[in-house]
Coordinates of all heavy atoms in Angstrom, one line a residue:
V368 N 0.5 -5.9 -18.2 CA -0.2 -6.6 -17.1 C 0.0 -8.1 -17.2 O 0.2 -8.8 -16.2 CB -1.7 -6.2 -17.2 CG1 -2.5 -7.1 -16.2 CG2 -1.9 -4.8 -16.9
V476 N 8.5 -21.2 10.8 CA 7.9 -22.3 10.1 C 8.3 -23.7 10.7 O 7.5 -24.6 10.9 CB 8.2 -22.3 8.6 CG1 7.7 -23.5 7.9 CG2 7.5 -21.1 7.9
A495 N -8.4 -3.9 6.2 CA -7.7 -3.2 5.1 C -8.6 -2.8 4.0 O -8.4 -1.7 3.3 CB -6.6 -4.2 4.5
D564 N -11.5 -14.4 19.8 CA -11.0 -14.6 21.2 C -10.1 -13.5 21.6 O -10.2 -13.0 22.7 CB -10.2 -16.0 21.2 CG -9.7 -16.2 22.6 OD1 -10.5 -16.2 23.6 OD2 -8.5 -16.5 22.8
A568 N -11.0 -10.9 24.6 CA -10.1 -10.8 25.8 C -9.6 -9.4 26.0 O -9.5 -8.9 27.1 CB -8.9 -11.8 25.5
E601 N 4.9 10.8 -6.3 CA 4.5 11.7 -7.4 C 5.7 12.4 -8.0 O 5.7 12.6 -9.3 CB 3.6 12.8 -6.8 CG 2.2 12.3 -6.2 CD 1.3 11.9 -7.3 OE1 1.5 12.1 -8.5 OE2 0.2 11.3 -6.9
Y705 N -3.7 -0.7 -7.6 CA -4.6 0.4 -7.6 C -4.7 1.1 -9.0 O -5.8 1.3 -9.5 CB -4.1 1.5 -6.6 CG -4.9 2.8 -6.6 CD1 -6.2 2.8 -6.3 CD2 -4.3 4.0 -7.0 CE1 -6.9 4.0 -6.3 CE2 -5.0 5.1 -7.0 CZ -6.3 5.1 -6.7 OH -7.0 6.3 -6.7

Side-chain angles (χ1 to χ4, degrees):
V368 173
V476 171
D564 179 53
E601 297 290 351
Y705 174 65

